[in-house]
Amino acid sequence: MSNSFVLVINSGSSSLKFAIIDSVTGDAMVSGLGECFGTPQASMSWKFEGNKTEEAVNTSENHHQYAISRLVDLVEQWGYNDKLVAVGHRIVHGGEKFTSTVRIDQSVLAEIENLADLAPLHNPAGATGIRAAITAFPVLPQFAVFDTAFHQTMPKKAFTGGIAKELYTEYGIRRYGFHGTSHYYVSREAAKMLSKDVNECSFISVHLGNGASVCAINNGNSVDTSMGFTPLAGLMMGTRSGDLDPGIIEFLMKKGWSQEQVFETLNKKSGFLGVSGLTSDARGILEAMENGHEGAKLAFEVFTYRVAKFIGSYLIPLDHLDAIIFTGGIGENSLPIRSEILSNLKLLGFIEDKTANADARFGASGTIATSELLNAVAMVIPTNEEFVIAQQSVELL
Ligand code: ADP
C-alpha cells in the first residue's frame, strides 16, 4: 500500500509530541517534541533521517498553534506533503462516549471539549491541537484515538467504585483507566508471538513508564485496570503515589495542608521520587541502590511489591492466563525490576529465564519466564502507541 503515512499528534498541557508514522510498518519517519510551551523556554526538536534539529519557539502566538502551523513547512521540507493521508490525535479522555477511534468533526470536537471536566489538563490541550491541525492541514481527515477507549469493555462491577451511586450518576465518577492504546497494542503483539487468536487470549498487561498501570485482558478485551477516575490510582509511579487511603487526604487537610499542596504531593512528589527522596527516574533508583542508598532500595521494593500484588489480584477477572506482558520504559528495559517482580510471583509458578530476560531489552521482545502451574509465560513487548494511532486512522479512512 502506498501513501499510507499518518501525522500523529499528542498534544499535552505544555508539550506537543509529533511523528510521521508508516501505517503499514509502524516505522517513525520523523519524530519530534515541543516542550515548555507557554514559557519563555519553549522549543521544538525533531529527528529526521538520523539528524536532530532543535529550534526555539519565540512567538506571542499560542505555542501549540504555532508548532502545528510550523509543521506545515516542515512536512513539506521532509518531503511528506503528498504522502500524508490523515492526522491522528492522541486524546486522553473519551469518557463513556468514545469506545473506539473516531473521525473528527465539529460534534466530536465539542464532545472532547465537554469532557474537559474529567481531564482538565489534557483534553483542552488535545482540542487545541485538533483545531490547529484542522487549520494547518485542512484537506486531511483527522482522527481521535482515546487513551480510555480500550477500557470501555470493563464490566460494571469493575468500573463501579464502592461509593454512593449519585457520584456516578451526577458527576460520572467511575473507573475509566488510561494507557488503553498501549495495553491494546501489546496484547495484539503478544497474541501474534504466541500464534494465537487474540480473541481467545487472556493477558495481564503491565505498562511501567513514568506513569504505570496494569490491565487484565480477557479474550482480547480489557476487563479491569489499575488507573481509575484519574491516572493517580493504582501502582506507585515515577512521582505519583498510586492507591492510598483516602482518609489521608482529610487528615492532611485538617493539619492545614491546602488541597493544592495535598494533590501536588500525591501527583508530583510521591512515587519513586518521594519514597527515595532522590529521583523519579527508575535508572537513577537502580544506580543509587547499587551504591547502597537506603531510600532508593525502599522505593525499588515498594514499587516491585505493589506491581506483583496487582498482577496477583488481576488474575481474578480472567478465565485463564496466556501471558504477563511487560512494556513501557521500565518494563521494556529494566532487568532488575522485572526479576524482582517475577520473584514476588513465585507462588504462581513463574520461573525466570535469566538469559532471555537479559536479552529482552532496548527494543527487543522476548519470553522471559514460564509458569507450568498456570501454563503461561511472561513476555516483554516494546509498546508503540503511535503505530496504533496511525493504523486505526487509516482503517477508518
Ligand atoms: P513515559 O511514561 O513518560 O512515556 P517511559 O515509558 O519512557 O515514560 O518510561 C520512562 C521510565 O523508563 C523512566 O523511569 C526510565 O528511568 C525508565 N527506563 C528507561 N530505560 C531504562 C533502563 N535501561 N533501565 C531502567 N529503567 C529505564
Side-chain angles (χ1 to χ4, degrees):
M1 189 177 154
S2 60
N3 278 16
S4 55
F5 297 96
V6 175
L7 175 62
V8 174
I9 292 179
N10 180 351
S11 191
S13 53
S14 62
S15 68
L16 185 109
K17 288 187 195 147
F18 53 91
I20 295 179
I21 304 291
D22 182 327
S23 68
V24 177
T25 62
D27 292 337
M29 317 317 290
V30 181
S31 62
L33 174 66
E35 290 177 284
C36 302
F37 280 9
T39 77
Q41 289 76 40
S43 67
M44 278 174 83
S45 61
W46 59 86
K47 215 166 142 187
F48 174 60
E49 292 182 341
N51 301 316
K52 200 163 176 202
T53 310
E54 191 168 347
E55 64 186 29
V57 173
N58 280 323
T59 172
S60 55
E61 199 185 331
N62 171 291
H63 288 167
H64 288 83
Q65 273 161 12
Y66 167 83
I68 290 177
S69 61
R70 177 83 181 96
L71 279 178
V72 178
D73 298 335
L74 290 170
V75 163
E76 176 140 26
Q77 195 178 307
W78 296 324
Y80 280 88
N81 211 11
D82 298 327
K83 296 183 186 157
L84 290 181
V85 294
V87 182
H89 296 265
R90 176 193 175 220
I91 301 296
V92 166
H93 220 306
E96 290 185 330
K97 170 84 188 170
F98 296 107
T99 58
S100 60
T101 295
V102 290
R103 188 165 175 161
I104 297 170
D105 58 18
Q106 286 307 320
S107 77
V108 168
L109 185 52
E111 285 286 351
I112 290 171
E113 286 179 321
N114 276 341
L115 289 165
D117 205 20
L118 296 179
L121 288 179
H122 292 100
N123 273 36
T128 304
I130 292 172
R131 283 189 196 288
I134 292 174
T135 309
F137 300 95
V139 297
L140 291 179
Q142 315 254 340
F143 298 89
V145 182
F146 299 91
D147 247 23
T148 50
F150 180 56
H151 302 301
Q152 280 297 309
T153 47
M154 275 189 291
K156 210 165 185 176
K157 67 180 174 189
F159 75 69
T160 304
I163 50 174
K165 65 174 184 289
E166 290 76 20
L167 299 187
Y168 173 55
T169 50
E170 290 201 13
Y171 301 113
I173 295 178
R174 49 158 284 175
R175 181 180 304 283
Y176 289 97
F178 301 89
H179 286 148
T181 316
S182 176
H183 292 303
Y184 170 88
Y185 175 77
V186 297
S187 54
R188 272 63 198 160
E189 287 300 301
K192 277 190 227 160
M193 280 172 66
L194 296 170
S195 305
K196 289 185 179 169
D197 177 352
V198 71
N199 298 315
E200 290 168 10
C201 282
S202 292
F203 299 117
I204 296 176
S205 166
V206 186
H207 180 114
L208 306 176
N210 284 317
S213 70
V214 177
C215 179
I217 298 169
N218 208 29
N219 300 321
N221 294 320
S222 170
V223 288
D224 208 344
T225 191
S226 61
M227 281 180 169
F229 179 63
T230 71
L232 183 55
L235 302 177
M236 176 179 126
M237 312 184 203
T239 63
R240 295 188 195 122
S241 62
D243 284 355
L244 83 162
D245 177 351
I248 294 168
I249 298 169
E250 184 195 22
F251 179 86
L252 287 175
M253 291 178 83
K254 279 191 177 155
K255 290 278 176 199
W257 284 46
S258 68
Q259 177 197 316
E260 286 73 23
Q261 280 174 313
V262 173
F263 285 94
E264 164 104 358
T265 299
L266 298 180
N267 275 301
K268 299 198 176 143
K269 296 183 179 167
S270 298
F272 275 140
L273 176 64
V275 178
S276 69
L278 193 66
T279 174
S280 64
D281 191 281
R283 275 167 299 199
I285 294 288
L286 297 173
E287 267 171 39
M289 206 170 78
E290 273 175 25
N291 297 327
H293 191 285
E294 283 300 319
K297 181 163 177 280
L298 181 62
F300 170 85
E301 286 174 351
V302 175
F303 180 81
T304 49
Y305 172 67
R306 290 178 71 149
V307 173
K309 256 191 1 176
F310 266 90
I311 292 174
S313 68
Y314 276 43
L315 283 170
I316 302 301
L318 304 183
D319 52 20
H320 71 284
L321 181 73
D322 291 289
I324 296 171
I325 311 165
F326 290 100
T327 194
I330 298 171
E332 290 168 26
N333 298 301
S334 177
L335 187 59
I337 290 182
R338 293 193 309 233
S339 290
E340 183 65 15
I341 295 169
L342 289 168
S343 86
N344 274 306
L345 296 174
K346 273 196 295 288
L347 199 58
L348 302 180
F350 280 96
I351 296 178
E352 178 189 351
D353 178 338
K354 287 197 185 302
T355 312
N357 198 10
D359 288 345
R361 302 174 73 195
F362 313 128
S365 308
T367 298
I368 61 168
T370 308
S371 164
E372 280 187 20
L373 181 70
L374 299 179
N375 192 21
V377 294
M379 310 168 95
V380 174
I381 300 184
T383 195
N384 193 345
E385 289 154 288
E386 288 81 10
F387 188 17
V388 176
I389 296 173
Q391 259 180 335
Q392 297 194 341
S393 300
V394 168
E395 267 166 33
L396 276 186
L397 262 180

